[in-house]
PDB file of all heavy atoms in Angstrom:
ATOM      1  N   SER A  71    -148.136 -36.912  47.762  1.00  0.00           N
ATOM      2  CA  SER A  71    -148.300 -37.066  46.316  1.00  0.00           C
ATOM      3  C   SER A  71    -147.538 -38.320  45.891  1.00  0.00           C
ATOM      4  O   SER A  71    -146.547 -38.707  46.523  1.00  0.00           O
ATOM      5  CB  SER A  71    -147.720 -35.856  45.571  1.00  0.00           C
ATOM      6  OG  SER A  71    -146.311 -35.790  45.748  1.00  0.00           O
ATOM      7  N   SER A  72    -147.986 -38.947  44.843  1.00  0.00           N
ATOM      8  CA  SER A  72    -147.262 -40.123  44.335  1.00  0.00           C
ATOM      9  C   SER A  72    -145.877 -39.717  43.852  1.00  0.00           C
ATOM     10  O   SER A  72    -144.932 -40.497  43.932  1.00  0.00           O
ATOM     11  CB  SER A  72    -148.054 -40.817  43.228  1.00  0.00           C
ATOM     12  OG  SER A  72    -148.303 -39.930  42.160  1.00  0.00           O
ATOM     13  N   ALA A  73    -145.740 -38.471  43.385  1.00  0.00           N
ATOM     14  CA  ALA A  73    -144.437 -37.988  42.920  1.00  0.00           C
ATOM     15  C   ALA A  73    -143.419 -37.985  44.060  1.00  0.00           C
ATOM     16  O   ALA A  73    -142.283 -38.433  43.877  1.00  0.00           O
ATOM     17  CB  ALA A  73    -144.576 -36.585  42.333  1.00  0.00           C
ATOM     18  N   LEU A  74    -143.818 -37.525  45.222  1.00  0.00           N
ATOM     19  CA  LEU A  74    -142.882 -37.488  46.348  1.00  0.00           C
ATOM     20  C   LEU A  74    -142.631 -38.895  46.890  1.00  0.00           C
ATOM     21  O   LEU A  74    -141.488 -39.251  47.178  1.00  0.00           O
ATOM     22  CB  LEU A  74    -143.399 -36.573  47.459  1.00  0.00           C
ATOM     23  CG  LEU A  74    -142.381 -36.178  48.505  1.00  0.00           C
ATOM     24  CD1 LEU A  74    -141.181 -35.465  47.883  1.00  0.00           C
ATOM     25  CD2 LEU A  74    -143.005 -35.304  49.565  1.00  0.00           C
ATOM     26  N   GLU A  75    -143.682 -39.694  46.989  1.00  0.00           N
ATOM     27  CA  GLU A  75    -143.517 -41.066  47.484  1.00  0.00           C
ATOM     28  C   GLU A  75    -142.571 -41.882  46.615  1.00  0.00           C
ATOM     29  O   GLU A  75    -141.839 -42.725  47.116  1.00  0.00           O
ATOM     30  CB  GLU A  75    -144.868 -41.771  47.551  1.00  0.00           C
ATOM     31  CG  GLU A  75    -145.712 -41.347  48.721  1.00  0.00           C
ATOM     32  CD  GLU A  75    -147.037 -42.084  48.771  1.00  0.00           C
ATOM     33  OE1 GLU A  75    -147.499 -42.612  47.725  1.00  0.00           O
ATOM     34  OE2 GLU A  75    -147.629 -42.126  49.860  1.00  0.00           O
ATOM     35  N   SER A  76    -142.584 -41.648  45.332  1.00  0.00           N
ATOM     36  CA  SER A  76    -141.753 -42.439  44.418  1.00  0.00           C
ATOM     37  C   SER A  76    -140.458 -41.727  44.016  1.00  0.00           C
ATOM     38  O   SER A  76    -139.752 -42.187  43.122  1.00  0.00           O
ATOM     39  CB  SER A  76    -142.554 -42.794  43.158  1.00  0.00           C
ATOM     40  OG  SER A  76    -142.878 -41.618  42.438  1.00  0.00           O
ATOM     41  N   SER A  77    -140.125 -40.645  44.709  1.00  0.00           N
ATOM     42  CA  SER A  77    -138.958 -39.839  44.335  1.00  0.00           C
ATOM     43  C   SER A  77    -137.622 -40.518  44.595  1.00  0.00           C
ATOM     44  O   SER A  77    -136.622 -40.177  43.975  1.00  0.00           O
ATOM     45  CB  SER A  77    -138.992 -38.495  45.072  1.00  0.00           C
ATOM     46  OG  SER A  77    -138.769 -38.694  46.461  1.00  0.00           O
ATOM     47  N   GLY A  78    -137.582 -41.450  45.541  1.00  0.00           N
ATOM     48  CA  GLY A  78    -136.321 -42.098  45.889  1.00  0.00           C
ATOM     49  C   GLY A  78    -135.402 -41.231  46.735  1.00  0.00           C
ATOM     50  O   GLY A  78    -134.249 -41.590  46.984  1.00  0.00           O
ATOM     51  N   ILE A  79    -135.903 -40.108  47.213  1.00  0.00           N
ATOM     52  CA  ILE A  79    -135.098 -39.180  48.009  1.00  0.00           C
ATOM     53  C   ILE A  79    -135.017 -39.659  49.456  1.00  0.00           C
ATOM     54  O   ILE A  79    -136.015 -40.076  50.040  1.00  0.00           O
ATOM     55  CB  ILE A  79    -135.708 -37.768  47.981  1.00  0.00           C
ATOM     56  CG1 ILE A  79    -135.578 -37.160  46.588  1.00  0.00           C
ATOM     57  CG2 ILE A  79    -135.077 -36.858  49.030  1.00  0.00           C
ATOM     58  CD1 ILE A  79    -136.319 -35.848  46.411  1.00  0.00           C
ATOM     59  N   THR A  80    -133.824 -39.589  50.011  1.00  0.00           N
ATOM     60  CA  THR A  80    -133.625 -39.709  51.449  1.00  0.00           C
ATOM     61  C   THR A  80    -133.152 -38.337  51.903  1.00  0.00           C
ATOM     62  O   THR A  80    -132.174 -37.804  51.377  1.00  0.00           O
ATOM     63  CB  THR A  80    -132.571 -40.781  51.792  1.00  0.00           C
ATOM     64  OG1 THR A  80    -133.046 -42.041  51.305  1.00  0.00           O
ATOM     65  CG2 THR A  80    -132.347 -40.869  53.297  1.00  0.00           C
ATOM     66  N   TRP A  81    -133.875 -37.753  52.862  1.00  0.00           N
ATOM     67  CA  TRP A  81    -133.588 -36.383  53.264  1.00  0.00           C
ATOM     68  C   TRP A  81    -132.254 -36.284  53.991  1.00  0.00           C
ATOM     69  O   TRP A  81    -132.005 -36.975  54.966  1.00  0.00           O
ATOM     70  CB  TRP A  81    -134.695 -35.845  54.165  1.00  0.00           C
ATOM     71  CG  TRP A  81    -136.024 -35.729  53.487  1.00  0.00           C
ATOM     72  CD1 TRP A  81    -137.174 -36.378  53.837  1.00  0.00           C
ATOM     73  CD2 TRP A  81    -136.364 -34.912  52.359  1.00  0.00           C
ATOM     74  NE1 TRP A  81    -138.194 -36.012  52.992  1.00  0.00           N
ATOM     75  CE2 TRP A  81    -137.725 -35.119  52.073  1.00  0.00           C
ATOM     76  CE3 TRP A  81    -135.643 -34.026  51.562  1.00  0.00           C
ATOM     77  CZ2 TRP A  81    -138.379 -34.472  51.030  1.00  0.00           C
ATOM     78  CZ3 TRP A  81    -136.301 -33.384  50.519  1.00  0.00           C
ATOM     79  CH2 TRP A  81    -137.649 -33.601  50.259  1.00  0.00           C
TER      80      TRP A  81
END
Side-chain angles (χ1 to χ4, degrees):
S71 65
S72 59
L74 195 58
E75 284 181 338
S76 65
S77 69
I79 291 172
T80 299
W81 296 119

